[in-house]
């Protein structure tokens, strides 16, 4: 993968809000940042009312003074365009820019992201403020890049203002051309939904039975929101490129209803992510076996890496988090902030900014803690940041020259992500299986990537991996099936789960035996299927031949039939009325293999398949790690770097059968060593 020019040097820094603090603090803040080894700040992403206090009246003095001090202390600056927080004068004068709920309630001034992307007025005003800021800062010696808006589709990712309904109608006209085609794509013959004039067509509106929309319309709604978000972002992106051509452009994610890959390809130099691993304490599932907790962020970082092989962490959690009324999170324990910083770096980040320099004393986020506390006195988190700063001052550029390396990838795609949000016959399965595979691999110290299947995905993209796991691609276009066939024919191994290949791109069920588009590749058909839930206990599976137990066949069972001579049943169901029937199959196809698992994966099943395929850690020859320690590998011209990340509070015993150097301390390491609780080493 091509290195990203803007990220050639490693940078550590913080989000900074001069407008929140007395000016007398600014210089001391920048001086201390530089002492900690910080070389970058992000500013201004919510400061529209400061830059444009009245319509058409612009003021840059406050930020000019702050940026001059940043420059004096050698700190570079990323400027955020402030469009996530339109000022009160704007929404009061132009209420049509506000977002509206599906029920028709207008979302008013008082929080953020209360606007819609379709309003021409909002686009016009966003363009004006972006241009004014770009013109003002294009030659500023401290400014090096821009963040467009802030976290598109965070807080809310659906839009039902009148302008959105209008824009959706135009989007549909461009996509389908005629109402006949739209009616066909949405299957409106069902329940007499046929449209006879364009004025009858809307984004999904409240309907009986919990407001459920037509499922094909619901899928197009997500596609529209994504396109509309990108076209709104492009208004700003185009201006920044033109007015400030020497600066790079990014935006921070990762949120729903947005093809961040396309946005990155079309508008950005690289993608940025906001990493808050302590959210794991809020979304905690009490029943989860071997919970990933904060380590689960490594999987999301894989999704970020699939957008941009190296990236920035625009906001890295640096304290307990919480708004006044929600998201109440514990404080990171000593060492955890450092661990999470290296988790981001291990997975591809070449720039990390902490959120935030100092905890706000006013507003909704008075409990969202920064590195510094309200009192601004030295504290544990500042000391930890200083340690990280000192380490990366030495090691950062060597790391920045490398990219994450994996030989196995989990496939995903936006069609299924968006369709599965509404369709409970596959959406929830994808999340369960994706997590199961990630855990089974990660706990075995086998690094994995995430790869999004898109219209531009090439055979070379797939051939970077020995094994691909595509858990439940319900929607599968014939072109995708052909690409996957080529991958397997040329030696790749692919593993599918149940519900593969039975829908077309509109979400219509194919009139073909399952697994539809993937049937030829798998050499099987599906005779019958059932949900496994409620009073029906999970069925079990056994490996064929040895009769060893495989695992419970979770959530959904497909009874498979071997259709091709090259295919065989490698496991059978061991209970229920289909006991003895094929549950897992393997088809030798060209030089490779296509596996089909007739249920939803769990960690045990994924683990058993990994073992049958003989996959092991790429460092297993010389490195022995306990389960608590994650292994991530970044590789570049100067060779590989092995990141060992201990997510446990307890020390972990690690054995090295080769001498290595810890890049962070310069010490030579070999034999048995103890990695402290939340400890990190980077071996070269
Ligand atoms: C992010 C957002 C920040 C801040 C932070 C903590 O989602 O970009 O502005 O709100 O969360 O809540």
């Amino acid at each position: 993968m091509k290195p990203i020019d803007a990220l050639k040097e490693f940078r550590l820094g913080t989000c900074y809000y001069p407008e929140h603090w007395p000016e007398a603090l600014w210089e001391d803040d920048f001086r201390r940042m530089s002492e900690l080894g910080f070389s970058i700040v992000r500013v201004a992403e919510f400061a529209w009312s400061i830059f444009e206090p009245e319509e058409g009246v612009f003021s840059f003095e406050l930020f000019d003074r702050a940026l001059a001090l940043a420059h004096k202390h050698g700190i570079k600056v990323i400027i955020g365009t402030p469009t996530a927080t339109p000022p009160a004068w704007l929404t009061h004068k132009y209420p049509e820019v506000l977002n509206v709920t599906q029920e028709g309630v207008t979302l008013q001034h008082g929080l953020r992201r209360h606007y819609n992307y379709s309003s021409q007025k909002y686009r016009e005003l966003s363009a004006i403020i972006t241009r004014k800021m770009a013109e003002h800062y294009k030659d500023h010696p401290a400014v090096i890049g821009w963040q467009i808006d802030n976290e598109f589709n965070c807080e809310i990712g659906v839009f039902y203002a009148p302008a959105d309904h209008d824009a959706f109608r135009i989007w549909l006209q461009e996509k389908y051309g005629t109402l006949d085609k739209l009616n066909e794509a949405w299957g409106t013959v069902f329940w007499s939904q046929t449209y006879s004039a364009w004025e009858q067509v809307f984004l999904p509106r409240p309907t009986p039975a919990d407001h459920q929309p037509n499922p094909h319309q619901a899928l197009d709604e997500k596609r529209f929101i994504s396109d509309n978000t990108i076209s709104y972002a492009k208004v700003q992106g185009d201006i920044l490129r033109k007015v400030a051509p020497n600066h790079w452009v990014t935006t921070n994610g990762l949120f729903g209803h947005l093809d961040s890959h396309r946005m990155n390809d079309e508008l950005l130099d690289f993608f940025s992510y906001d990493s808050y691993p302590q959210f794991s304490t809020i979304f905690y599932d009490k029943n989860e076996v071997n919970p990933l907790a904060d380590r689960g962020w490594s999987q999301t970082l894989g999704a970020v890496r699939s957008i941009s092989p190296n990236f920035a962490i625009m906001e890295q959690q640096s304290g307990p988090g919480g708004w006044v009324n929600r998201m109440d999170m514990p404080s990171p324990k000593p060492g955890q902030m450092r661990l999470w910083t290296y988790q981001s770096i291990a997975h591809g980040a070449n720039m990390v900014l902490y959120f935030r320099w100092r905890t706000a004393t006013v507003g909704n986020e008075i409990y969202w803690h920064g590195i510094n506390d309200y009192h601004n006195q030295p504290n544990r988190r500042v000391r930890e940041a200083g340690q990280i700063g000192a380490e990366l001052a030495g090691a950062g550029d060597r790391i920045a020259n490398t990219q994450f390396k994996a030989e196995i990838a989990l496939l995903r795609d936006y069609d299924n992500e968006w369709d599965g949000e509404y369709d409970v016959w596959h959406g929830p399965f994808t999340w369960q299986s994706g997590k199961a595979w990630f855990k089974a691999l990660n706990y075995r110290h086998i690094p994995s990537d995430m790869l999004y299947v898109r219209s531009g995905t090439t055979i070379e993209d797939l051939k970077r991996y020995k094994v691909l796991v595509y858990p439940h691609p319900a929607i599968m276009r014939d072109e995708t099936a052909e690409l996957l066939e080529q991958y397997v024919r040329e030696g790749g191994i692919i593993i599918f789960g149940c519900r593969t290949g039975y829908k077309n791109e509109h979400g219509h069920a194919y009139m073909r035996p399952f697994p539809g588009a993937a049937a030829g590749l798998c050499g099987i058909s599906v005779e019958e299927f059932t949900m496994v839930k409620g009073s029906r206990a999970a069925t079990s599976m056994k490996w064929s031949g040895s009769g060893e137990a495989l695992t419970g066949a979770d959530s959904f069972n497909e009874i498979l039939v071997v259709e091709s001579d090259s295919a065989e049943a490698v496991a059978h169901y061991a209970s229920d009325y289909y006991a003895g029937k094929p549950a897992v199959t393997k088809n030798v196809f060209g030089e490779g293999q296509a596996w089909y698992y007739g249920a939803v994966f769990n960690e045990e099943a994924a683990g058993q398949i990994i073992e049958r395929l003989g996959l092991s850690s790429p460092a297993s020859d010389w490195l022995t790690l306990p389960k608590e320690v994650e292994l991530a590998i970044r590789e570049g011209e100067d060779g590989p770097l092995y990141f060992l990340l201990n997510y446990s509070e307890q020390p972990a015993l690690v054995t090295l059968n080769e001498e290595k150097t810890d890049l962070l301390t310069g010490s030579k390491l070999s034999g048995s060593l103890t990695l402290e609780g939340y400890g990190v080493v980077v071996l070269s």
Side-chain angles (χ1 to χ4, degrees), residues 46 112 150-151 154 252 274 276 315 323 355 365 368:
F46 300 123
R112 59 180 176 184
N150 186 70
E151 295 191 336
C154 172
N252 52 345
D274 295 343
Y276 291 96
E315 302 178 13
W323 283 20
F355 186 83
E365 292 194 341
W368 206 291

Side-chain angles (χ1 to χ4, degrees), residues 428-444:
F429 302 164
T430 296
W431 293 110
Q432 178 181 330
S433 292
K435 200 178 197 187
W437 270 98
F438 181 77
K439 273 171 147 178
L441 291 163
N442 201 274
Y443 288 149
R444 282 173 178 71

